Amino acid sequence: MATATAEKPPAAADAVPSFTVTLIIRRFDPEVDEEPRWQDYDVELYGTDRVLDALHKIKWEQDGSLTFRRSCAHGICGSDAMRINGRNRLACKTLIKDLDISKPIYVEAIKGLPLEKDLVVDMEPFFESFREVQPFLQANSTPGTGKERVQSVADRARFDDTTKCILCAACTSSCPVFWTDGQYFGPAAIVNAHRFIFDSRDDQAKVRLDILNDKEGVWRCRTTFNCSEACPRGIQVTQAIAEVKSAIMRGKP
Amino acid sequence: MWLSTEASTIMGGLFVSVQTAGTPPKASKKKPRPAGTLYRGHEGMWSWVFHRITGVAIFFFLLVHVLDTALVRVSPEAYDAVIGTYQTPIMGIGEVGLVAAIVFHAFNGLRIILVDFWSKGTRYQKLMFWIVIALWVLTMLAFVPRHLTNVFSH
Ligand code: HEM
Ligand code: SF4
Ligand code: FES
């Protein structure tokens, strides 16, 4: 081994090992298919590649009809949440080396939102719920002469976790309650309500608590923790929902 | 309901494989189910699945139990006849299942209450799930041998 490497040109010796990985993707073309179908692809990949790179390789080199969403490719835009080996993940944050490549990798669209094509779902119901919780600052006061609303470090920390949301829908579409009841606001809307309910500069917490104190609001949550485990930003989603539940019971944040 | 759709996709998968078994060309390329894969949740999801199954099972047991007890007001003889069938070993084993369901539901119900009302509940939910399982195993170990000796020695 040692002699072999010594004699080989440096380029070959430094070669990064690559693997043939099988991806089984749940395809659906609304113009042709009655029902989704599974299709497999063999792709040559490095351990440092991500599932998104595998999808790109398939689309660019094997089958241009494969349809999926992505934009930033760096876990910021929230476009590419999908179900990878049965769990919701961002394709751009899932490294091949973290998956068991001795078996095929199953990739399918997130569940509970209308399937449009291949890995693309209609996100409109999801954003509809997001808009309903009034996810913007509503302050009754006008900022002082300094033009800023001053907030203490502790007050800012109170809702820090829920500011990190990128609206990828991994949480909402991992929720068994949401799968059967599409009317449920879902974890992401509650996370984004939490972000303003517990913001000391905002004055409309009461309104949002009223919106979520609904048949289809926080009380639908059955604490399965799928959302917390799915969130690519590591947000403690179930904890945030629990905090909103107790704020409703107290009648104030 | 979610459970029934998941169950039916599993059933559907079984059915399809049975169907294709007799036709070699189709059977040779074994495809995954056309429906999506089962979501692979962790402790929290499974505890909820078991909680709902046991909750519904207990509900149906209580429904039947209220009806058979109410029978005593209609006809004591009919009541005795129905209650008599409960003394059989099959019912004795059924009672093991019932107690298993109630014990899990009760312990996990306490876990859910802690998740909801204890500020650190969400952080320790997994640990609490395994404590529930441990308590369930201990209770069943204490109950099942005694119960079955009762059932089979009378
Ligand atoms: C032994 C004492 C019991 C305790 C401590 C208990 C506790 C609970 C709790 C805390 C929940 C809420 C679950 C959640 O938020 O997800 C629940 C749900 C439920 N319980 Fe019980 N329960 C008990 C007995 C019963 C009995 C006797 C029945 C049957 C009549 C029953 C049927 C149900 C059902 C059907 C649900 C709904 C499950 C769901 O929504 O997922 N429970 N139980
Ligand atoms: S809470 Fe997490 S999983 Fe849910 S939409 Fe926001 S970033 Fe995605
Ligand atoms: S492509 Fe932007 S989050 Fe993955």
Side-chain angles (χ1 to χ4, degrees), chain A residues 126 164-172 187-188 191-192 227 230-235 237:
Chain A
F126 172 80
K164 299 174 190 157
C165 177
I166 57 172
L167 292 172
C168 65
C171 55
T172 296
V191 159
N192 286 279
C227 52
C231 180
R233 307 286 297 164
I235 298 171
V237 182

Side-chain angles (χ1 to χ4, degrees), chain A residues 52 69-81 90-93 166:
Chain A
L52 181 65
R69 270 196 203 106
R70 67 98 175 86
S71 180
C72 70
H74 289 82
I76 285 301
C77 70
S79 307
D80 62 344
L90 292 181
C92 64
K93 280 186 81 172
I166 57 172

Side-chain angles (χ1 to χ4, degrees), chain B residues 5-105:
Chain B
T5 49
E6 288 291 339
S8 65
T9 51
I10 293 167
M11 298 303 202
L14 286 175
F15 188 61
V16 168
S17 60
V18 168
Q19 257 191 335
T20 50
T23 48
K26 269 190 182 172
S28 59
K29 44 173 182 168
K30 216 168 128 243
K31 286 279 166 193
R33 297 180 273 130
T37 60
L38 189 70
Y39 197 87
R40 286 170 58 218
H42 296 264
E43 288 87 343
M45 180 174 112
W46 293 110
S47 73
W48 167 76
V49 170
F50 297 142
H51 197 86
R52 180 161 284 186
I53 291 172
T54 54
V56 172
I58 299 165
F59 172 79
F60 280 109
F61 160 75
L62 280 181
L63 196 71
V64 172
H65 190 50
V66 167
L67 291 178
D68 66 26
T69 309
L71 202 58
V72 79
R73 299 186 57 96
V74 182
S75 144
E77 293 77 31
Y79 174 81
D80 283 344
V82 171
I83 296 299
T85 64
Y86 294 172
Q87 311 284 329
T88 60
I90 295 171
M91 279 297 175
I93 291 168
E95 277 164 348
V96 172
L98 180 67
V99 169
I102 293 176
V103 170
F104 176 82
H105 191 92

Side-chain angles (χ1 to χ4, degrees), chain A residues 26 36 38 40 83 85-88 106 108 111 174 176 179-180 222-226 229-230 239 245 249, chain B residues 1-2 6 31-37 39-42 44-45 48 52 115-117 119 122 125-126:
Chain A
R26 192 162 179 252
W38 291 92
D40 26 350
R83 198 143 45 116
N85 283 346
R87 290 187 184 129
N88 284 359
Y106 287 80
E108 61 205 293
K111 192 169 164 141
S174 76
W179 296 336
T180 50
R222 299 254 78 86
T223 60
T224 72
F225 288 88
N226 277 10
E229 278 149 6
Q239 173 70 37
K245 282 176 180 169
M249 285 188 286
Chain B
M1 300 275 292
W2 173 77
E6 288 291 339
K31 286 279 166 193
R33 297 180 273 130
T37 60
Y39 197 87
R40 286 170 58 218
H42 296 264
M45 180 174 112
W48 167 76
R52 180 161 284 186
V115 167
D116 281 341
F117 290 103
S119 58
T122 54
Q125 60 98 5
K126 280 193 188 181

